[in-house]
Amino acid sequence: MSGYQMLDPSTLVVLITGATSGIGAATARRFVLAGAKVIATGRRADRLIALRDELGPNLLPLEVDVRDNEAFVAAIAGLPPAFAGINIVFANAGLALGLDPAHKASLKDWEDMVDTNIKGLLYTVRAVLPGMVERGAGHVVFTGSVAGDYAYPGGNAYGGTKAFVKQFALNLQADLLGTPVRVTNIEPGMVETEFSLVRFHGDAGKSDSVYNGVEALTGEDIAEQIFFCCTVPRHVNINSLQVFPVAQSFAGFKVAR
């Protein structure tokens, strides 16, 4: 469209949780290289420092665990002025643990997924959202998953947490009607990151087997979709965006015989 004006990335201050690898790190790179300021959070300080060394002073590393609400709130309250006016929050921190059926799954794995994928996400949004509403500009972006829509064996608690993300995003939009704050849920299919390595508790053989013979999505693929959703004009809200690699589909129903 002739004259269509996307948002100027240099006006954006982006908070990204789970920025030490994968989609989070790729999204940090995409925004900083476009001129935005990025607050990159995570638990692995060495990776955050390496990201700052790579990208320069427009990236602020912030070592904090999203599961610790008090620490997270304090970290946000202590941001330097140049990074304090957050107008995009990308609640990306999350993980899958295990692929056992529910009757064999680890309860500890379930609890860790709930603590990070649900509670950590809630803490992130609650710490940042009031400021966005007060300043009259903002965008909340989630890393959901196709697992929040489509069930698969072993997806039990992980799929449940991503279904929560999907519904929370919709309810958040309902609450924010009448404000200029946008909400987007990004729902990737298979993305080749550290996701499976974490799911299989560091078993590289099992992790590699997930991606063998498949051209999966990359963190950069998803970062590009996030960047687009966040830079369309402010009157446009992309509610959700589901992204599969061409090699993946949800089709057919299994029958036990």
Side-chain angles (χ1 to χ4, degrees):
M1 183 185 298
S2 177
Y4 197 72
Q5 292 296 311
M6 303 291 278
L7 296 187
D8 179 358
S10 69
T11 66
L12 302 176
V13 179
V14 188
L15 171 68
I16 300 174
T17 66
T20 57
S21 65
I23 294 170
T27 303
R29 291 187 181 95
R30 182 67 179 89
F31 275 97
V32 170
L33 294 174
K37 290 183 172 63
V38 171
I39 305 149
T41 82
R43 294 179 293 165
R44 292 175 285 188
D46 57 331
R47 292 199 179 192
L48 295 174
I49 296 302
L51 203 57
R52 183 198 59 194
D53 292 345
E54 172 192 342
L55 296 174
N58 271 5
L59 184 128
L60 177 69
L62 195 64
E63 183 187 359
V64 65
D65 188 339
V66 295
R67 298 173 299 181
D68 185 341
N69 185 48
E70 287 188 10
F72 194 84
V73 169
I76 297 304
L79 288 171
F83 289 87
I86 297 166
N87 47 28
I88 297 173
V89 56
F90 178 30
N92 167 69
L95 75 170
L97 293 170
L99 201 59
D100 290 327
H103 56 289
K104 295 180 180 179
S106 161
L107 184 59
K108 173 66 164 58
D109 284 352
W110 283 7
E111 290 173 333
D112 286 346
M113 286 185 279
V114 168
D115 286 345
T116 305
N117 300 0
I118 295 179
K119 293 168 69 176
L121 178 142
L122 293 176
Y123 297 158
T124 300
V125 172
R126 194 62 184 80
V128 177
L129 188 60
M132 288 182 171
V133 173
E134 184 179 339
R135 290 188 294 273
H139 197 158
V140 181
V141 183
F142 297 119
T143 299
S145 171
V146 296
D149 287 298
Y150 309 122
Y152 60 88
N156 41 69
Y158 175 70
T161 65
K162 292 304 182 177
F164 171 87
V165 173
K166 183 183 186 75
Q167 192 61 35
F168 181 63
L170 292 172
N171 281 285
L172 200 57
Q173 283 184 295
D175 286 346
L176 291 169
L177 185 64
T179 80
V181 180
R182 306 190 287 190
V183 183
T184 300
N185 186 32
I186 304 291
E187 303 175 21
M190 181 184 288
V191 185
E192 187 168 1
T193 62
E194 294 180 3
F195 177 86
S196 288
L197 190 63
V198 172
R199 162 165 265 171
F200 294 120
H201 299 280
D203 188 324
K206 284 186 177 180
S207 174
D208 290 345
S209 70
V210 173
Y211 307 108
N212 284 345
V214 179
E215 186 175 1
L217 298 170
T218 66
E220 288 74 20
D221 291 328
I222 303 304
E224 194 63 36
Q225 310 311 313
I226 293 163
F227 184 81
F228 170 74
C229 290
C230 291
T231 53
V232 292
R234 292 199 184 279
H235 71 283
V236 180
N237 190 86
I238 298 172
N239 296 349
S240 62
L241 187 63
Q242 190 174 102
V243 190
F244 277 102
V246 172
Q248 185 183 27
S249 175
F250 185 82
F253 292 96
K254 289 188 176 182
V255 177
R257 299 184 188 278

